[in-house]
Amino acid sequence: MSGRMRLPHGGQVDHEKPLSFTFNGKTYTGLAGDTLASALLANGVHLVGRSFKYHRPRGIVTAGPEEPNALVQVGEDPRTDPNMKATQLELVEGLSARSQNAWPSVEFDIGAVNTLAARAIPAGFYYKTFMWPASAWKTYEHVIRRAAGLGTSPQQRDPDRYDKTYAHCDVLVVGAGPAGLAAALAAGRSGARVVLVEQDHLLGGALLNASEEMIDGVPALDWVRSAETELAQMPNLRILRRTVAYGAFDHGFYGLMENVTDHLAEAPDHLPRHRLWKLRAAKAVFCCGAIERPLVFADNDRPGVMTASSVQSYVNRYALKPGKRAVVFTNNDSGYGAALDMTAAGIEVAAVIDLRAAPGGPLTERAEAAGLRILADHAIIGTAGKKRVTKVRVAELSAEGDAVVGTAEEIDCDLVAVSGGWNPTVHLFCHAKGSLEWDEDHACFVPGKAMQAGQQVAGSANGAFGLAACLAEGAEAGAAAAAEAGFEPGAAVTAESDDRDFLPGRWMWLVPSDKPLGQKAKHFVDQQNDVTAADLKLALREGYVSIEHVKRYTTTGMATDQGKLGNVNAIGIVAEAFGRPLPEVGVTTFRPPFTPVSFGIFAGRDVDDLLDPLRRTPMHAWHERNGALFEDVGQWRRPWYYPQFGEDMHQAVNREVKAVRESLGVLDASTLGKIDIQGPDAAEFLNRVYTNAWKKLDIGKARYGLMLGEDGMVMDDGVTTRLGENHFLMTTTTGNAAPVLAHLEDYLQTEWPDLQVYLTSVTEQFATITLSGPNARTLMAELSDAELSPNALPHMGYTAAKVAGVPARIFRISFTGELSYEINVPASFGMAVWQTVMTAGERYGITPYGTEAMHVLRAEKGYIIVGQETDGSVTPLDLDMGWAVSKTKDFIGKRSLTRADMQKPDRKQLVGILTQDPKEVLPEGAQLVEGVLPQPPMPMLGHVTSSYYSPNCGRSIAMALIKGGLARKGETLYAPLEGGKTVACVVAESPVFFDPEGKRLNG
Amino acid sequence: MLVITCPYCGPRCESEFSNGGEAHIERPKDPESLSDAEWAEFVFLRNNPKGLLLERWNHAQGCRRWFNVARDTVTYEILAVYPMGSPPPALAPKRYV
Amino acid sequence: MVESYLRQSALAHLGLEAQRARDEAAAAVRLHEKVLPAAVNLRGDGDDPAFLEAVAQALGLTLPLAPNTTASNAEVAILWLGPNEWLVIQHDAAPDAESHLATRLRNAPGDFHSAVTEVGESLVCIHLAGPRAADVIAKGCPLDLHPSVFGGAGRCAQSHLSKTAITLHQVSDEENGGPAFDLYTRRSFADYLWRWLSDAAREYNKA
């Protein structure tokens, strides 16, 4: 038996498939096809949590995504999810869930003392009480959050896998109710590519909850089944079940979250848990249905008070009795549907309380005919019951409807089915910035003008509440969407049905009671955030005018249900209090997601070692095998240093640095950006993009160049070689390869399209092996057929020859200050040539060195690194590199160098820094001051950009950007460090600390 | 996520493109003849209109070509796409106050 | 003559030969590396008859001028990359095929401005085929690969797949029961892209 309240047969549940589950530690049985909520109700469990602020007992209110109360924590760490709506959670064997907003238990809740102190917790209470002093909020917040609690996040790593994918279609149909099915049929029959999205696992939408609707002369669900069969056979149509269209974005871009395996007791290993669909749809039809509105009456939050349509859903779809004796409270005709369905299911309907003075409408008439007790022009003015409603108090309304008259009657009941009218589900339409209009007759906001072309709304989401209208609008919208997308219409979709609306209605935002508002009873507007009508009125008394501000102050409509139930009631109450028409008050902004989505889908498979590409050079495997530690340079992974025999970093780097100066080092420089430049105007082009002159560079010669932005700031540097009359190879820094190419293409295409130049990236065409050190030439001579004499291949010379039998480009350029060759070989040969070099170099003690040693070596020579010595605010003049800046030609950024601000004497300039204690190595980033004050702040002159211990100089060396630095040579400055230590240092005469004459370089 | 119609490759997802800021700002032919203020106007100052914006886009992960786009900054509607060096086409943009 | 055994593909460290033999059975999408393609990047003015004529002479193929199209013969495939840019690719070629290809193009006679650059060494080619090949690519690439939009075999496009730039060439409509694509990226991204694609293909290739 799947619960004592279960009906013996019927509904969309499988009575032959019992499923066992636990809630708050207790084991229950439900049926396949149940949600957690329906399974609990079938077992007579209404109480599922405690309210956010007052810890009042709360029960299941709805049967869908609008549920404010039945939020549960599912599963155990690490597979645990907070804030799951029991009304949408498909029951699965072994499901374990618990109330999340009750401590120590939902039955006995310590926090419920807040109920007694309720008058002390009005709207804005937290703001008023805890915001001063500001620092104390941190303390209060912990306590409040724990007491209130909206579930707990998993503490361990998520063990599940998530997927994301792009997708495209001609027509997206959201919602597979009658309108959506008709739209999908119409669009699908045209041959358009259609995606039909349904958050439920069953198609049918509201028809699943209905008892006796007919379409084309057959029961509605039979029609749904035949529609489903036809759709499933269309190769051009994809049905995504258990998928929520959570957001509509620009240009027909939609976010969908598909639940792939949560409904399976055992998830197959090869499937992701959830999938994000990044769907681009040319046209869209939103058939999202409508959500029934509750009525705002005194103590309307007791467990057992539910929306009338969800009562119908539980009776008809889930085959259960949510109560034994019910009262219906309505202001329109649709509430009577619940009365009739309950009666048919054997639930006693004690009375229908109707706010309308003259109840009418097709269902009302049937209820009258069935002899139900109907109390017209009456209201529920209070409820009773501790953990479940036990009775309601009912009284007659005054002539104006703003008060009650006469004596109240008490009616015993354990279920109250409430209908306050219907709100079209306009969320997606509003995400896409569609505008809303107020439908005075139906008292609801309906879609107005779409901002994005090709978006339509159909069915009750569009304010067409009758079934025939839903079907007709859906069919029409689906056909129109396909036609707009360029498809010939297929067979027309026709479906005959009744077109009963829920009118007439009497719209009353706040149901009067016999007590002053807010005293001894609460009229809840937003149950999830515990916002009452009194809170709204307080906010207005305190001067809030804009509905957006009222929302933020009272927090109405701000939690996981995003006001799906309460927003229009709140707006109505505010409008009434202001005496303004409701549409003038306006609506708050609808934002994605429609319902909460898991974080996992946004990460997808881009986690762990797929988080970001790790770019590997052709010799990467060698570095790994030889114990390199790596440094990330952009996405590249470069050898940092190669520790040997238990060396620490300092020892390893010192050894590598000395080996280069004393004999021979080898560096994998493949990551340097390389741009192939060809064309008759190549030299002219370089002349315009570099600060120095290029036209007279000889073929076979290389030159250092500085590249600026138009703002005059250094953007990149590198060596460019003239390979032929109209052919250059530019190198860029590793990190700037792509930005520099983009920068060059920009000027070439947009400013100087007349220049005949083509640029091609060849960064990865070559493996670059740099040999550096006094023995570099000796080894090269053994490996290469190139002419290597200083005359044949001088510093800044280039030749093409073979190295280790492989065709190579050899550049005699140096970033270490040593005799140095950069050898470019085809990338696929990189590993072979590297290994040959290592073997042949053994007799010279060839030492692979990493980026750290490279940094020390270049710093010994005072060579800058763009991005380390520069930060986008540094000009060549600030770097004292005026020698590289032409006075006679224009180049990108030149004019900026003579702007008044660039001439200021206190600009930060690059200088060498030597600590007074040669062993002291300044931390990079250390601030330098003229004099140390007892405590900060003190005027800062600048900061250390590079700092190393140099074994070749036998002391520490550093560079710094200092205000007016070039005029401070010889001055003593101080670096006040963390922990109170101060390091004295001197501005060096030159930042070139090693071999200032460059003998080694030119040898 | 916009759909941008590259004039060469056709409609593609925004993630293939990079934005290059306001269009039709030509590099001065003789920068040395400009005052500091005039040069700063060229380098630093850009319009940020509500409504029609003419801007540059580069099909960075595609054909690498630059082109111009006329876009409404309120609706994000793309009103026109046209090649570098061409004047903007005649448009009837929405006006906002 | 350069010894070809010295050459190493960007995926050499993954030992894909062995992997392929194991994975071939009944996969909804098959992946394998087409090792060491020869390739030349060609720039020139597509409106210049002299340039077009020279290329046609050198390659025995007419340059594809329509966006996102290709031309191919038994030896090479030419992919349209942009209004003045093409990629000429040769598979299963000798180590010096790339320089021969480039030389043929460079030496093509005529008075025009063009650029010929060897780029095959910088590329890795991953071949995907099967009913779910397009679905695997779509997990990371925003292109619409539906035949009604992409155009089927013989079409190409540049885009991105997750965080790498790619050049995609649909080489067949029917191979292993579905479309087949040659997917090119730069070699430093090969390891990342291969592992990304393998992971993306996992749900279609359950053992």
Side-chain angles (χ1 to χ4, degrees), chain A residues 161 163-169 193 238 260 269-272 275 278 605-606 609-618 621 635-636 676 678-680 727 745 755-766 802 804-807 809 826-832, chain C residues 1-4 6-10 13 36 41 43-45 84-85 95 98 106 113-123 132 135 138-146 148-149 160 162-164 186-189 191-192 195-196 199-204 206:
Chain A
R161 298 180 317 112
D163 185 39
K164 54 183 173 183
T165 185
Y166 292 95
H168 307 263
C169 67
R193 272 198 291 167
R238 184 200 294 268
V260 183
D269 186 50
H270 66 286
L271 289 180
R275 192 192 319 274
K278 297 182 275 187
R605 61 181 42 76
D606 299 332
D609 58 353
L610 293 178
L611 174 64
D612 204 40
L614 279 179
R615 301 178 66 182
R616 298 160 58 100
T617 74
Q635 290 173 324
W636 284 103
D676 189 86
Q678 296 182 46
H727 192 187
E745 281 287 358
L755 290 187
Q756 294 202 322
V757 178
Y758 285 124
L759 308 174
T760 307
S761 170
V762 291
T763 301
E764 302 217 27
Q765 178 74 1
F766 301 98
K802 284 196 170 175
V806 173
R809 291 171 168 180
S828 67
F829 288 104
M831 181 66 101
Chain C
M1 180 65 196
V2 174
E3 298 291 349
S4 62
L6 293 174
R7 302 184 74 199
Q8 205 174 68
S9 112
H13 62 288
L36 299 170
N41 184 283
R43 306 291 300 273
D45 182 356
N84 58 13
E85 185 168 9
E98 184 159 307
R106 276 194 198 106
H113 166 47
S114 75
V116 175
T117 313
E118 291 96 324
V119 293
E121 292 283 337
S122 68
L123 298 176
R132 308 310 291 265
D135 293 325
K139 285 177 191 277
C141 173
L143 291 172
D144 187 348
L145 298 175
H146 192 270
S148 68
V149 177
H160 65 86
S162 193
K163 295 170 185 172
T164 56
R186 279 175 292 156
R187 64 173 291 143
S188 66
F189 292 95
D191 172 78
Y192 164 80
R195 289 186 296 105
W196 202 99
D199 191 64
R202 177 178 154 143
E203 74 172 287
Y204 307 126
K206 70 170 176 153

Side-chain angles (χ1 to χ4, degrees), chain A residues 760-761, chain B residues 9 12 16 59-64, chain C residues 32 34 37-42 64 67-71 77-82 85-91 119-120 122-128 137 140-143 145 150 154-171 180-187 189-190 193 197:
Chain A
T760 307
S761 170
Chain B
C9 301
R12 296 291 185 89
E16 292 183 5
H59 194 186
Q61 297 207 312
C63 64
R64 298 193 294 134
Chain C
H32 74 262
K34 287 170 114 171
V40 166
N41 184 283
L42 177 64
N68 309 314
T69 62
T70 65
I78 310 176
L79 280 56
W80 181 95
L81 297 184
E85 185 168 9
W86 294 264
L87 185 66
V88 185
I89 293 177
Q90 189 178 354
H91 283 287
V119 293
S122 68
L123 298 176
V124 66
C125 177
I126 296 172
H127 182 81
L128 297 93
I137 295 168
C141 173
L143 291 172
L145 298 175
F150 195 69
R155 295 303 187 99
C156 68
Q158 295 175 90
S159 183
H160 65 86
L161 198 148
S162 193
K163 295 170 185 172
T164 56
I166 58 163
T167 301
L168 193 64
H169 178 199
Q170 185 171 346
V171 292
F181 299 90
D182 282 349
L183 194 160
Y184 299 88
T185 192
R186 279 175 292 156
R187 64 173 291 143
F189 292 95
L193 191 61
L197 289 168

Side-chain angles (χ1 to χ4, degrees), chain A residues 883-915:
Chain A
W883 54 267
V885 179
S886 166
K887 307 271 185 298
T888 53
K889 56 146 195 171
D890 188 28
F891 54 85
I892 295 170
K894 184 183 190 193
R895 175 64 186 82
S896 285
L897 299 179
T898 52
R899 288 176 59 228
D901 277 356
M902 301 295 175
Q903 312 293 322
K904 288 186 176 165
D906 66 342
R907 283 193 65 80
K908 288 184 180 172
Q909 292 161 336
L910 187 72
V911 290
I913 295 284
L914 292 171
T915 51

